[in-house]
Amino acid sequence: MTYDAEGRAKGMAEVRSRCLDVEICGSTGGTATTRAPRRNTQYLQMFPHQRFGISGLVPYHQQGQTFFSCGSFAGERIFQNVAAVAYALTRINTNDAGVGLGAVLFDYCDRTERARERFFSFFSGEAQEDDSGLLLGPGHIVASVSLDDDAAEAVSNILAANHIPHFSSPVGGIHLGDRTDETILTSVPSRTAELRALLAVARSFGWTFLSVVYDNDDDGRFLVETFRQMAWAEDVCLGDSLGMPQRVSEEYARQVVETLAAGWKPHVVVLLMDAADNIRMVVQAAERLGHAERFTFLAGPAWGNKPAVTGNLDRASAGALTLTTETYDLPDFRSFVANLTLEYHAPIPDEWFEEYFQYKFQCRLSASSRVQRQFVRECLGTEHIHADELVQDPFVFHTVLAINAVAHGLDNYLTQHCADAQTIEECEVVQPELLLEIQRQSRLTLNNTASHGDADAYGYHLWNYRKLGAEYGYVSAGSWQNGYLRLEKPGLEFKIGGFPPDSSCQGGACVEVCAPQSPVYAAMALPKPLPIDFNFHTVYGITTAVLSLLGVVASLSSLIYLMATFPPAAGAPVLGCLVLTGCFMVFAANFALIFQPTAGTCAVRRFLPGLAYALIYASLLVKALHAYRLASVSATRDNSSNSDSGGSSGKNPLLARMCGQIVVTLALVVVQLVLGIAWLTLYPPEVDLLADTWYCSPAEDFEAELVTSLAYVMVLLAATAGLCLEAWHSGIASKETRWILVASLFSIVSWCVWTVAATQAPRHIRDPSMVIGNLVSASIVVVLLMVRQVHLYSQFSRDVKELEMRSHYTAATSLCNASLNAQKVPPDGSPRLPPGLDLGGPGIPTRQFVATSCLQGLGNDPACLGPSHTGSLGDQEVSFRTVTLPPEVPHSRLSSCHSATTSRRSLRLSLSDELPDDLLFEAFESSEEDFPIDAQHPSDLEEGAVGGGEGRGGEREGRLPSIRRVGSRQMLVFLTDGNTIGDVSRI
């Protein structure tokens, strides 16, 4: 007795011994079994008699032991996709549309060199010359399909030269990076797209701290490096990146899990591994070491929704999120494969199908040309699989989709161009137009993903392994398409119900690992900045803050005093107010230097000091310009006073009016304002770290750039000093130019010291040097100029009040008293003046014009015009004009006047065009309406006119004392020879 392969008893008489392989048995080794002729195993032809066909590249066998040989069968996945081509073509050729497609698929044994050789030989026509059985020629090919991305790229240029649409269904190998060859059409995303999907899932749950386990080969290293770059761009930190060998042992997996289980390390582990067995080994080690509750796994299609990975590892696998390539079940395809048998498996070649059959059922066919001797059991030939038991490969859907896309394009072309043809053979096909139409329709059908940003591209399904009642299983959790993640969060479940784990770095040891990877974590690793008010707890901060506050109070108090004492109606000292405002801003800017650097304080440091100093020195410069102008005009008029031509009145220059001085000042300030705004705009303020200390950016050159930005202010300061030096001998406004010059020189010294210290001194004393420099520079201006000016203004105010108390005469009476006092002029013709008042000395030049007819109301007479002068009286600028009274005026004609002298006399009027430098009034002309001296009889008009002529030609016998306007516009002060302050008149 003996037994067959199924274990059934057989009698010895039933045993037959035959030689199934002539090459082994030889011609004398027994009677050889008659065998059917074998088909060529280098290519597969399907429906070769169709007018149109598809070429293809299939890695049906692995690489051989030598470069030129083929190895063993590649596996069931390759066979299913070959069967998918046969399935799709069978359906196309049996439909009623009349469109037929054939195919020729070349086995290139997983070598791209062989793939190029196969296609080059085929499309050049050499293959048909050497093999008469190859019925589909290159002229029939309308498209090509490759089952591997590398092979597709290798033959892309050959197909592009023939304008043949090229499809890839990369079951043999997916392109790692983003596809750059846009001529290859595919509906399968690249491995880089897989990494994007995994990262999108992690980001959606706020997992910013991850560990990665990857295959330690070229592909694995490429994937982990690409994932690291993507993670860094998203501020996601990778804790551990551990490589795994091709075959993972339990001991190695245990060491990996122990490394990942450190307390500070991430709770989420990304598995970039292509072998499901290796993935299971890692999950198993986690469960055996008691870390089943610690880790949440995030994996790609290698895990997918395979029960083999998670079997008996439910606790460790719970909560895992995995991806599978987007695909859809095809029941008809599974039935098609299940019905393939040893007797009928057309159009697949015998050798190809027999290899699959032996691998599928783990037996050997001794009669096959490629006997799989690793299997002991002999195949009965009746083995089969039910369609429901067949696990469809994910790429089958995409392979069928590619074949259908070709058919749609072909059908669309024939519908448009061959509607009247009875058969396809009658249709005149323009090959280039046909290929372009197929390519266009294929792009629409496949939703091409050559660029990952294309719309409606196929992507990935997302799965969640979770508890389902008493069992565990995979539940659809969403999808990732075209770069967009769709999550069904309410249906997700993790280790603790619906609460996702926390996997982020909040501080501690992880910060040191993550700092080089992301600016966010780098900022966490940086030393924390000191409290913004830290310096106010030090002696330096308290001292400088108090001094700066005193400066703020002093400048603000002086500003308020000036504005309150001299209201707009009286003409406020505007330039002085601007100077005080600038000083106030300088003192206030010191607080930005005392506070710790922040974006806000750094912005103030850049902008405010320059604007404040520009306001101070621009105002002082305008003051100096005005004084220089007055001095020049005074010298010019003194030189022209001896000429016979007299003076002529012209228009006042811009600086003679207060509004003009303000405009010029603001124009000078605007330059610095524009420079400051440009600096802030082009280089926004921020802080930098230097030697564990925070400084304004740029940390190494901030002070040098700040000093450079003040170059314009330095020019204003130097110009102010230069003009004041030119106007040194001017007595205008109580010799104010001299005081401005002194302040400018002291400021220049201060600036030289603090700018050098701020740029060259050790870093820790640079800020204090700028603070002290600001204090000194602003204090010089306040003390030497503004305090002095406030004192003069206060003294002037007291004089005005005293004058107002003594005001008890009318205008006419005062003028008459002045006429009577004119008789007291000494014989030398010069009036007797109060002590200290010299009308002829420097600072009080005379300005005269003949006013005989002016007093009669004839102000337009040229005789009314004469030489005039300007000068200053104390701290007040005045303008002197001489009015000549009519000669031989009878005593009875002077109402309320009792003078016995009727000779020609000059009445000297002091009309102040401008009070102290900053307190300006509008100049008003002397006229009959302004100064009603007395009523004149009409008979005196002619006498007055003659007297006026003689007055211009004759020598003046004496002069009356001057009339000075003080305070408001309604007050004139007459300075007589007997009083320091004369009579007061309201007009």
Side-chain angles (χ1 to χ4, degrees), residues 938-967:
S939 62
D940 296 332
L941 293 176
E942 180 179 357
E943 181 181 359
V946 175
E950 294 176 357
R952 288 189 300 269
E955 181 179 358
R956 297 179 178 84
E957 298 178 4
R959 301 182 183 273
L960 291 175
S962 64
I963 301 175
R964 176 184 175 191
R965 184 179 64 180
V966 179

XYZ file of all heavy atoms in Angstrom, residues 938-967:
213
model
N -6.855 173.680 10.123
C -6.571 173.538 8.688
C -5.535 174.517 8.193
O -4.819 174.239 7.240
C -7.933 173.784 8.031
C -8.912 173.380 9.089
C -8.307 173.767 10.389
N -5.437 175.645 8.863
C -4.462 176.635 8.392
C -3.039 176.203 8.642
O -2.105 176.800 8.122
C -4.723 177.982 9.084
O -4.553 177.833 10.483
N -2.879 175.188 9.470
C -1.535 174.737 9.791
C -1.011 173.688 8.828
O 0.118 173.253 8.951
C -1.486 174.141 11.203
C -1.802 175.198 12.235
O -1.524 176.374 11.956
O -2.304 174.818 13.307
N -1.871 173.244 7.890
C -1.434 172.163 6.994
C -0.249 172.590 6.158
O 0.729 171.877 6.016
C -2.592 171.722 6.090
C -3.757 171.047 6.813
C -4.862 170.750 5.808
C -3.295 169.795 7.512
N -0.362 173.788 5.590
C 0.722 174.244 4.723
C 1.989 174.464 5.515
O 3.070 174.112 5.093
C 0.290 175.549 4.025
C 1.377 176.091 3.097
C 0.917 177.366 2.405
O -0.261 177.756 2.627
O 1.710 177.947 1.682
N 1.819 175.052 6.722
C 2.983 175.293 7.552
C 3.649 173.980 7.938
O 4.852 173.875 7.965
C 2.550 176.066 8.798
C 3.700 176.395 9.745
C 3.191 177.141 10.969
O 1.975 177.394 11.017
O 3.996 177.434 11.831
N 2.769 172.988 8.207
C 3.326 171.679 8.561
C 4.084 171.067 7.432
O 5.110 170.427 7.616
N 3.574 171.250 6.241
C 4.249 170.656 5.082
C 5.601 171.280 4.872
O 6.593 170.628 4.577
C 3.379 170.800 3.838
N 5.653 172.637 5.006
C 6.931 173.314 4.851
C 7.894 172.880 5.923
O 9.075 172.633 5.693
C 6.730 174.849 4.872
C 8.058 175.548 4.844
C 5.838 175.248 3.712
N 7.359 172.784 7.130
C 8.208 172.332 8.231
C 8.774 170.973 7.999
O 9.895 170.675 8.372
N 7.936 170.123 7.344
C 8.429 168.785 7.064
C 9.581 168.817 6.108
O 10.552 168.098 6.244
N 9.502 169.690 5.100
C 10.610 169.772 4.151
C 11.851 170.282 4.799
O 12.957 169.823 4.538
N 11.699 171.318 5.646
C 12.870 171.828 6.312
C 13.464 170.801 7.259
O 14.659 170.736 7.451
C 12.502 173.105 7.073
C 12.099 174.253 6.147
C 11.645 175.455 6.930
O 11.592 175.345 8.162
O 11.354 176.489 6.324
N 12.532 170.011 7.853
C 13.024 168.994 8.785
C 13.884 167.974 8.105
O 14.792 167.436 8.688
N 13.578 167.714 6.819
C 14.399 166.728 6.120
C 15.742 167.300 5.759
O 16.720 166.584 5.647
C 13.671 166.237 4.860
C 12.501 165.347 5.174
C 11.968 164.733 3.887
N 11.527 165.746 2.921
C 10.291 166.216 2.866
N 9.388 165.832 3.748
N 9.950 167.120 1.954
N 15.757 168.642 5.500
C 17.033 169.213 5.053
C 17.847 169.805 6.162
O 19.058 169.871 6.092
N 17.201 170.313 7.216
C 17.924 170.987 8.275
C 18.438 170.047 9.322
O 18.128 168.871 9.362
N 19.226 170.616 10.199
C 19.795 169.826 11.296
C 18.832 169.827 12.450
O 18.289 170.845 12.831
C 21.135 170.451 11.713
C 21.814 169.675 12.829
C 23.130 170.297 13.211
O 23.498 171.295 12.572
O 23.755 169.796 14.151
N 18.607 168.619 13.014
C 17.666 168.477 14.118
C 18.285 169.084 15.378
O 19.438 168.816 15.691
C 17.335 167.004 14.362
C 16.633 166.377 13.159
C 16.357 164.915 13.448
N 15.660 164.290 12.356
C 16.259 163.797 11.277
N 17.561 163.865 11.165
N 15.543 163.234 10.311
N 17.468 169.921 16.090
C 17.972 170.554 17.298
C 17.870 169.651 18.516
O 18.621 169.803 19.450
C 17.186 171.865 17.556
C 17.350 172.881 16.443
C 16.535 174.126 16.697
O 15.923 174.198 17.782
O 16.513 175.002 15.837
N 16.933 168.735 18.549
C 16.754 167.886 19.720
C 15.795 166.762 19.423
O 15.099 166.773 18.426
N 15.735 165.785 20.276
C 14.871 164.624 20.087
C 14.076 164.387 21.352
O 14.537 164.607 22.453
C 15.698 163.379 19.771
C 16.551 163.529 18.504
C 17.298 162.244 18.223
N 18.157 162.394 17.060
C 17.751 162.189 15.810
N 16.500 161.841 15.582
N 18.581 162.342 14.803
N 12.853 163.968 21.115
C 11.998 163.602 22.245
C 12.324 162.180 22.712
O 12.849 161.380 21.944
C 10.525 163.682 21.837
C 10.009 165.103 21.578
C 8.587 165.036 21.055
C 10.057 165.942 22.838
N 12.021 161.884 23.915
C 12.257 160.508 24.395
C 11.364 159.512 23.647
O 10.376 159.882 23.045
C 11.899 160.585 25.878
C 10.984 161.747 25.984
C 11.449 162.730 24.954
N 11.720 158.253 23.747
C 11.038 157.208 22.966
C 9.771 156.731 23.658
O 9.592 156.895 24.846
C 11.977 156.027 22.750
O 12.295 155.447 23.998
N 8.921 156.128 22.816
C 7.688 155.500 23.306
C 7.857 154.006 23.093
O 8.111 153.553 21.991
C 6.452 156.018 22.538
C 6.361 157.535 22.698
C 5.191 155.334 23.028
C 5.259 158.138 21.879
N 7.692 153.220 24.107
C 7.935 151.760 24.038
C 6.645 151.012 24.326
O 5.978 151.275 25.314
C 9.011 151.384 25.062
C 9.272 149.877 25.158
C 10.271 149.614 26.264
N 10.460 148.196 26.467
C 11.108 147.675 27.501
N 11.621 148.486 28.403
N 11.245 146.386 27.622
N 6.310 150.042 23.439
C 5.128 149.226 23.669
C 5.540 148.002 24.473
O 6.496 147.310 24.159
C 4.519 148.786 22.346
C 3.218 148.018 22.548
C 2.604 147.603 21.242
N 3.478 146.652 20.541
C 3.186 146.131 19.370
N 2.089 146.500 18.747
N 4.000 145.273 18.794
N 4.766 147.717 25.499
C 5.076 146.611 26.387
C 3.802 145.821 26.636
O 2.732 146.403 26.808
C 5.651 147.112 27.731
C 5.948 145.940 28.653
C 6.901 147.915 27.487
N 3.950 144.508 26.691
C 2.806 143.673 27.069
C 1.837 143.497 25.941
O 2.175 143.063 24.865
